[in-house]
């Protein structure tokens, strides 16, 4: 039995578009699996070198963004190629999509700015969940970081949702380490040498404390006299502490300084007093 060449050519012409479409979708599926595999390996590699929980959360967020973007791009290209193979011209579609994209772009500028600002916040590691920051005039503990907004909770429990596009400056108060800056007011007639000795003693006692000691990373740094007023002298010092521990260490230092001053036995009338 012989096959007519014309019939064979007709069958080939009918089958070829379907075969090409099948090939396009198979290649798209392979590309998606390959990208997911690469992102999974990259995710595992980055997590292996991440030493903090906040780094792991940031990596997870970035991987989800890359995975979502890759899926959208590959599926979109595959659909356009499929339409072209079945004889539907994609030129009008592209033109319409371009006009619609411009219209949507004008209406969603803030959303697009939120997205890109949030992406750079994550890539540059400016802020992570668990940090204590100041942004857009709000202070608080970061509960959630997304490509759309940052959610922070302040000291009194209020929750603030800050769109990323509103963030121009981020002040991170809990990155790597912090300083507990302490100002004390003493009487002008007080012996500053004795005041400094008391500060060193309180610092040494706090470093020996099983709970406070691990929070303090270095010896006390006494800056000296910060301000001279009619009746008092302001003395400033600082303690290098673990991230976000500066407030607790500062309060405990002031409490212990108050106790040390109250128990000074020599020349009690000249004992310095805490002004704040």
């Amino acid at each position: 039995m012989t096959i007519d060449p014309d019939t064979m050519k007709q069958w080939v012409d009918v089958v070829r578009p379907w075969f090409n479409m099948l090939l396009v979708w198979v290649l798209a599926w392979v590309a998606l699996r390959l990208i997911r595999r690469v992102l999974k390996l990259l995710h595992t590699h980055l997590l292996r070198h991440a030493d903090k929980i906040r780094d792991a959360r940031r990596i997870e967020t970035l991987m989800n963004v890359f995975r979502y973007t890759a899926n959208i791009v590959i599926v979109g290209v595959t659909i356009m190629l499929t339409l072209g193979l079945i004889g539907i011209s994609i030129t009008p579609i592209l033109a319409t999509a371009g006009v619609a994209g411009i219209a949507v772009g004008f209406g969603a500028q803030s959303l697009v700015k939120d997205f890109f600002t949030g992406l750079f916040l994550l890539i540059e590691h400016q802020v992570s969940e668990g940090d204590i920051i100041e942004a857009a005039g709000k202070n608080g503990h970061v509960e959630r970081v997304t490509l759309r907004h940052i959610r922070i909770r302040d000291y009194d429990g209020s929750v603030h949702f800050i769109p990323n596009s509103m963030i121009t400056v981020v002040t991170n108060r809990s990155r790597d380490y912090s300083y507990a800056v302490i100002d004390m007011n003493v009487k002008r007639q007080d012996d500053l040498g004795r005041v400094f000795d008391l500060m060193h003693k309180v610092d040494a006692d706090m470093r020996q404390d099983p709970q406070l000691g691990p929070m303090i990373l270095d010896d006390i740094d006494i800056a000296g006299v910060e301000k001279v007023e009619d009746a008092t002298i302001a003395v400033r010092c600082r303690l290098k502490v673990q991230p976000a521990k500066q407030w607790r260490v500062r309060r405990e230092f002031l409490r212990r300084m108050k106790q040390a001053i109250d128990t000074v036995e020599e020349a009690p009338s000249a004992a310095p007093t805490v002004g704040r």
Side-chain angles (χ1 to χ4, degrees):
M1 179 178 179
T2 60
I3 301 178
D4 185 12
D6 294 336
T7 304
M8 184 66 179
K9 185 175 181 302
Q10 291 177 356
W11 276 103
V12 170
D13 292 339
V14 172
V15 173
R16 182 184 291 114
W18 295 100
F19 175 79
N20 290 340
M21 282 189 291
L22 178 62
L23 181 62
V24 167
W25 282 99
V26 169
L27 291 176
W29 179 80
V30 171
L32 288 174
R33 292 296 300 269
L34 181 61
I35 290 176
R36 290 177 183 175
R37 178 63 178 173
V38 171
L39 290 177
K40 184 177 180 180
L41 293 175
L42 180 61
H43 181 250
T44 304
H45 174 75
L46 293 176
L47 286 180
R48 190 179 298 116
H49 293 80
D51 56 352
K52 298 178 181 177
I53 297 178
R54 65 183 184 183
D55 291 337
R57 293 172 177 171
R58 180 173 64 95
I59 292 170
E60 183 67 29
T61 303
L62 288 174
M63 291 300 104
N64 290 335
V65 171
F66 293 152
R67 188 181 302 111
Y68 176 78
T69 303
N71 290 343
I72 293 297
V73 171
I74 292 177
V75 171
V77 172
T78 303
I79 292 176
M80 287 190 294
L81 290 176
T82 302
L83 292 175
L85 290 173
I86 62 178
I88 299 177
S89 177
I90 62 174
T91 302
I93 297 177
L94 292 176
T96 303
V99 175
I102 293 174
V104 173
F106 279 113
Q109 289 182 12
S110 178
L111 183 62
V112 174
K113 188 176 180 181
D114 287 342
F115 180 88
F116 283 103
T117 302
L119 183 62
F120 282 109
L121 286 174
L122 290 170
I123 292 177
E124 297 176 356
H125 200 188
Q126 297 181 22
V127 60
S128 300
E129 295 178 5
D131 286 344
I132 298 176
I133 68 168
E134 177 181 351
K138 302 297 182 181
N139 297 273
H141 176 269
V142 178
E143 294 187 338
R144 182 70 173 168
V145 180
T146 68
L147 294 178
R148 177 69 179 87
H149 67 269
I150 292 179
R151 185 179 74 205
I152 66 175
R153 186 181 297 272
D154 61 20
Y155 186 75
D156 64 6
S158 301
V159 179
H160 305 281
F161 295 86
I162 305 175
N164 293 330
S165 59
M166 294 181 59
I167 300 175
T168 56
V169 177
V170 176
T171 302
N172 197 319
R173 305 186 187 278
S174 58
R175 174 64 57 84
D176 299 332
Y177 63 87
S178 302
Y179 279 108
V181 180
I182 303 161
D183 289 332
M184 297 178 53
N185 291 336
V186 299
K187 295 179 180 179
R188 291 192 59 172
Q189 62 269 27
D190 288 338
D191 183 0
L192 291 181
R194 190 192 326 187
V195 175
F196 296 157
D197 290 341
L198 282 177
M199 296 170 75
H200 280 291
K201 182 179 182 301
V202 170
D203 171 62
D205 292 341
M206 291 178 63
R207 292 174 65 82
Q208 296 298 322
D209 188 282
Q211 294 184 350
L212 295 173
M215 300 180 188
I216 303 174
L217 305 178
D218 204 350
D219 294 335
I220 188 171
D221 177 19
I222 300 179
V225 176
E226 183 70 16
K227 184 186 298 183
V228 177
E229 297 182 353
D230 293 339
T232 61
I233 297 177
V235 179
R236 172 169 294 184
C237 66
R238 67 178 185 176
L239 292 167
K240 186 176 181 180
V241 298
Q242 292 182 353
K245 301 298 183 182
Q246 60 266 39
W247 297 284
R248 179 179 178 183
V249 171
R250 180 182 183 276
R251 295 187 183 99
E252 183 63 20
F253 183 89
L254 288 173
R255 186 185 71 83
R256 295 192 180 208
M257 276 296 299
K258 175 65 166 57
Q259 289 182 345
I261 291 171
D262 290 343
T263 56
V264 171
E265 296 180 354
E266 297 181 1
S269 61
T273 56
V274 179
R276 50 178 299 182

